[in-house]
Amino acid sequence: MLHILFLILKIIGIILAVILGLILLVICIVLFVPICYKADLHGSGNARELTVHAKVSWLFGLIKAVFALENGKTDLSVRIAWKKFGDSDPVEDKAEDRVEEKPKPEKKAVMQEKQAIQKEEQQDETPNRITDKAVEDETEKIEKTEQSAKIYPESTEKKQRKKKERKEDSDSASKIEQITEKIKCTYHKFCDKINQITEKKDKISDFLADETHKNAFLKLKNEAFHLLKILKPKKIQGEITFGFEDPSLTGRILAWISMIYPWIGEHTDITPDFEHRTLSGDLSIRGRLYVITLVVTAIRLILSKAVRRSFKDIRNFKL
């Protein structure tokens, strides 16, 4: 009996060891198999004629995404194992085909025309009825006023003058009151906005001046720069000439490029053109990314007390 029991326990232990080994193997593959990416750009002088071919693959091509831009038309396809997402036909061509394929039935057009004519006839009849009633009511009012004016001509004139004067006085007073109320409302709103802005500014300045928040910001900054150094492409090679109609825009973009030039300037030649609008040359980018780097940076940030405290304060922070 003991021999059989030990044999069963041995088989169970072997099965558990195999399962644990498979789990560890999958974790190692996910963490240490790189995500490879590459991109090729070619320009012949015009930005509309720019061609781009980019590819991202992971797990030895088991997961792959391909992007292409040619003649102003884009194409994106994604493959996960044996399942594909996306088509090879450009998006613009599909939209044009759909517009062309839409039928235009004649029967619907005839019915719509008949309905429109009936609606117009109904609309023409309704205002005529309304105007006839309005004319009758006005004639009755005019007859009544004429009769009263014939009987009491002087009293009616005085009453009308007094009514007009009262209306003018009430209208002027109401206008003055409305203007004063508007001025008061705008003044109070302006004061409230100023107070809100000052209160928000004080809260934000106090939040940023806290030592824990400063340490968290420095931690995030250092980790971000460290991650960028690791994630930079392994190979960048090419020659590019670019320019815009506005020379100041060309200068600003050149200033932005100069910030990352120490990373890409070893095998690249970038020349600005301050006189013409152009984009020409070839550029090839190759690189890889390991998931383990992202996991390690995330663990470092989670283990930092300042980052955890700042994250909680940001969630509870209200202006």
Side-chain angles (χ1 to χ4, degrees):
M1 288 293 292
L2 291 172
H3 181 68
I4 295 168
L5 183 63
F6 284 129
L7 183 62
I8 292 167
L9 291 173
K10 186 179 178 180
I11 292 167
I12 293 169
I14 291 167
I15 292 167
L16 290 173
V18 171
I19 292 168
L20 289 172
L22 291 172
I23 292 169
L24 288 172
L25 181 63
V26 170
I27 291 169
C28 291
I29 288 170
V30 170
L31 292 177
F32 296 102
V33 172
I35 301 170
C36 300
Y37 61 90
K38 63 179 182 179
D40 295 318
L41 290 81
H42 174 71
S44 59
N46 191 357
R48 294 179 181 176
E49 297 176 357
L50 180 68
T51 59
V52 179
H53 295 278
K55 180 181 175 182
V56 180
S57 62
W58 188 37
L59 298 175
F60 308 103
L62 191 66
I63 298 171
K64 185 169 67 173
V66 180
F67 174 78
L69 173 64
E70 290 183 359
N71 298 322
K73 297 177 182 178
T74 59
D75 180 20
L76 177 64
S77 63
V78 180
R79 191 186 73 181
I80 300 172
W82 61 88
K83 201 165 186 180
K84 291 183 179 180
F85 303 93
D87 298 323
S88 59
D89 297 330
V91 177
E92 294 181 358
D93 293 342
K94 288 183 181 179
E96 290 177 358
D97 294 336
R98 287 174 186 172
V99 172
E100 291 177 357
E101 287 176 359
K102 284 184 179 178
K104 295 181 179 178
E106 294 179 357
K107 292 181 180 180
K108 289 183 179 180
V110 174
M111 292 295 290
Q112 289 177 357
E113 289 180 358
K114 289 181 179 179
Q115 290 177 359
I117 291 165
Q118 290 176 359
K119 287 180 180 179
E120 289 179 356
E121 290 177 354
Q122 290 176 0
Q123 289 177 359
D124 292 334
E125 289 176 358
T126 52
N128 290 326
R129 292 175 183 174
I130 293 164
T131 52
D132 292 334
K133 290 181 180 179
V135 169
E136 289 177 358
D137 294 332
E138 287 180 356
T139 51
E140 288 178 358
K141 289 179 181 179
I142 291 163
E143 288 176 356
K144 288 179 180 179
T145 52
E146 287 178 353
Q147 290 176 1
S148 61
K150 287 178 181 178
I151 296 166
Y152 303 106
E154 294 179 355
S155 62
T156 53
E157 288 179 358
K158 289 180 180 179
K159 287 180 181 179
Q160 287 177 358
R161 288 177 184 175
K162 288 180 180 179
K163 286 180 180 180
K164 286 180 181 179
E165 290 176 356
R166 288 175 182 174
K167 285 182 180 179
E168 289 176 355
D169 294 333
S170 62
D171 292 334
S172 60
S174 63
K175 286 180 181 179
I176 292 164
E177 289 178 355
Q178 289 177 0
I179 291 165
T180 53
E181 286 178 357
K182 285 181 180 179
I183 292 165
K184 288 179 181 178
C185 290
T186 52
Y187 177 73
H188 288 301
K189 286 180 181 178
F190 183 71
C191 293
D192 292 334
K193 285 182 180 179
I194 290 169
N195 291 325
Q196 289 176 0
I197 290 165
T198 52
E199 288 177 358
K200 289 179 181 179
K201 185 179 178 182
D202 294 334
K203 285 183 180 179
I204 292 166
S205 61
D206 293 335
F207 183 82
L208 295 174
D210 194 5
E211 289 295 329
T212 56
H213 300 158
K214 286 182 179 179
N215 293 328
F217 178 73
L218 289 172
K219 183 70 175 175
L220 288 170
K221 184 180 176 182
N222 293 328
E223 291 294 333
F225 278 107
H226 180 68
L227 189 63
L228 286 173
K229 287 180 182 178
I230 295 170
L231 297 180
K232 72 177 182 178
K234 302 297 180 185
K235 182 182 177 182
I236 300 176
Q237 189 174 1
E239 295 179 358
I240 297 173
T241 303
F242 74 96
F244 296 92
E245 293 179 354
D246 188 3
S248 63
L249 181 59
T250 306
R252 285 197 295 270
I253 291 172
L254 185 63
W256 282 101
I257 292 170
S258 65
M259 295 175 68
I260 60 171
Y261 195 76
W263 293 351
I264 65 173
E266 188 176 356
H267 300 287
T268 56
D269 186 9
I270 299 171
T271 57
D273 189 353
F274 292 95
E275 295 180 356
H276 303 92
R277 183 179 180 180
T278 182
L279 180 62
S280 61
D282 296 317
L283 183 65
S284 178
I285 299 170
R286 302 286 185 273
R288 60 182 61 184
L289 166 65
Y290 292 94
V291 179
I292 188 67
T293 56
L294 300 174
V295 173
V296 169
T297 53
I299 290 169
R300 286 177 182 171
L301 292 173
I302 290 167
L303 292 175
S304 177
K305 291 182 180 179
V307 174
R308 292 201 305 271
R309 172 78 181 280
S310 299
F311 181 72
K312 288 180 182 178
D313 292 338
I314 288 167
R315 289 183 65 184
N316 297 323
F317 183 74
K318 291 180 181 179
L319 289 174

